[in-house]
Amino acid sequence: MASDLPVVIYPPAEDGGRRVRVDGAFVGMAYTLLDIAEFLRRAGLEDVEASDVEGASWIEWHGGGPDVWTS
């Protein structure tokens, strides 16, 4: 699975949430990989699972990868 839409996950906030942008638009605060998968589904990517998010080379992670949820 790949996306033509730019997906950026920002560093964790103090509460552990990470801002998520899809195609330049803020789509929400994610607290788990499942949250990110749901945001991507809502953006039009079908059948996205947490494991897809974790290993996706097309997601740009800032402030740590998919295993970083604390600041």
Side-chain angles (χ1 to χ4, degrees):
M1 155 163 297
S3 172
D4 292 332
L5 301 174
V7 178
V8 180
I9 314 298
Y10 289 89
E14 288 184 16
D15 67 353
R18 297 183 77 159
R19 289 180 297 136
V20 179
R21 287 191 177 272
V22 177
D23 199 22
F26 174 74
V27 295
M29 289 292 285
Y31 293 88
T32 67
L33 295 175
L34 290 172
D35 294 337
I36 297 171
E38 180 59 26
F39 295 148
L40 294 175
R41 282 193 291 271
R42 291 179 187 177
L45 296 170
E46 297 180 12
D47 301 323
V48 178
E49 301 294 332
S51 59
D52 300 322
V53 171
E54 188 172 32
S57 62
W58 45 270
I59 294 178
E60 185 177 329
W61 295 88
H62 293 212
D67 57 336
V68 177
W69 293 92
T70 57
S71 55

